[in-house]
Amino acid sequence: PCMIRSAFALGGLGSGICNDEAHLRDMARKAFSSSPQILVEKSMLGWKEVEYEVVRDAADNCITVCNMENFDPLGVHTGDSIVIAPSQTLSNGDYMMLRDTAINVVRHLGIIGECNIQYALDPHSDDYCIIEVNPRLSRSSALASKATGYPLAFVAAKLSLGIQLPDIVNQVTKTTTACFEPSLDYIVTKVPRWDLTKFDRVSRKIGSAMKSVGEVMAIGRNFEESFQKALRMTDS
């Protein structure tokens, strides 16, 4: 199998896992109806999907603000996936490996401001791939900002003006600076919400193309508490 993705498309539009040539041709035909270009990539279906939020200033101060792990394996769009922060199944070695890579990538690309980097991690080895790097605030950035209390949009705006991380006041403590990595002693869980009943003949299967129309976030002292709080809120 292989993975195809439409270029210049948001929300995973025109993407999917192709199991054979006929499936590839059908998916490509649909993708080309909305995009002039498609990417044909190696399928990593079943790998872990992990994200890091990174900020860097003009003086090369660079920190990771939050890391998040998808409950669902690769193959389900992040917007349709349950997401947990901080990650729960990564070893300390895996966490540091991906963190160091994120910082090196952001420095190599010369990004100043906020950046989101997504990984695919093989659950049975140390193999990993970078799925994409978003040099901007994303849907995940909003979750990371709320989960950690670190105002990513505010800090990114300051960094774009040339202000450095040590010169930005921590909005929580009002005494320290923004040049720190938040440490969480709680678990944050995001659960998507769908409204598929409004549409006739729509498939209820989730995949690499996003279908959710919103999400809820819950905070708890452990994963079970946080997860059950989030599930209760999807019906409210």
Side-chain angles (χ1 to χ4, degrees):
C2 65
M3 173 81 181
I4 70 165
R5 294 198 290 173
S6 298
F8 316 110
L10 294 175
L13 181 67
S15 68
I17 302 291
C18 304
N19 297 312
D20 51 43
E21 182 180 345
H23 194 191
L24 173 62
R25 289 180 179 274
D26 181 59
M27 290 286 295
R29 179 177 53 80
K30 294 177 181 177
F32 277 126
S33 66
S34 59
S35 175
Q37 176 185 344
I38 64 171
L39 309 174
V40 181
E41 303 171 342
K42 173 184 175 182
S43 171
M44 290 172 284
L45 187 67
W47 286 28
K48 294 180 183 182
E49 189 168 355
V50 184
E51 296 185 57
Y52 280 72
E53 297 293 331
V54 187
V55 293
R56 176 177 176 268
D57 65 18
D60 202 29
N61 296 306
C62 191
I63 61 171
T64 57
V65 174
C66 182
N67 90 307
M68 297 164 283
E69 180 179 6
N70 286 18
F71 183 86
D72 306 279
L74 203 71
V76 176
H77 192 278
T78 303
D80 280 346
S81 180
I82 296 170
V83 178
I84 299 98
S87 57
Q88 297 298 292
T89 69
L90 297 188
S91 67
N92 188 56
D94 289 339
Y95 171 84
M96 293 304 297
M97 174 181 68
L98 299 181
R99 175 187 176 276
D100 291 345
T101 301
I103 290 175
N104 290 336
V105 167
V106 170
R107 282 176 169 159
H108 177 75
L109 296 176
I111 296 170
I112 295 176
E114 198 275 344
C115 178
N116 167 268
I117 182 167
Q118 300 179 16
Y119 294 101
L121 176 67
D122 186 352
H124 306 297
S125 71
D126 290 335
D127 291 343
Y128 68 92
C129 291
I130 297 174
I131 301 173
E132 61 184 16
V133 179
N134 296 309
R136 56 174 173 79
L137 289 160
S138 66
R139 188 184 307 103
S140 300
S141 305
L143 172 64
S145 189
K146 294 173 186 175
T148 60
Y150 193 101
L152 283 169
F154 174 84
V155 172
K158 294 284 189 179
L159 297 180
S160 67
L161 296 173
I163 302 173
Q164 299 177 12
L165 282 171
D167 298 328
I168 302 174
V169 177
N170 183 335
Q171 295 298 298
V172 177
T173 65
K174 301 295 184 181
T175 56
T176 57
T177 71
C179 193
F180 76 101
E181 296 191 357
S183 178
L184 307 186
D185 61 352
Y186 51 86
I187 303 295
V188 175
T189 303
K190 180 219 81 175
V191 174
R193 296 187 65 175
W194 294 273
D195 199 5
L196 302 178
T197 55
K198 288 185 176 180
F199 306 98
D200 294 331
R201 299 186 301 276
V202 66
S203 171
R204 291 179 176 268
K205 293 182 179 179
I206 58 175
S208 59
M210 180 178 160
K211 295 180 180 178
S212 68
V213 295
E215 57 193 34
V216 299
M217 186 191 91
I219 300 175
R221 284 295 178 187
N222 52 51
F223 172 68
E224 292 82 3
E225 177 188 348
S226 178
F227 184 57
Q228 290 181 47
K229 278 184 178 179
L231 287 181
R232 286 199 299 269
M233 287 192 292
T234 58
D235 295 327
S236 60

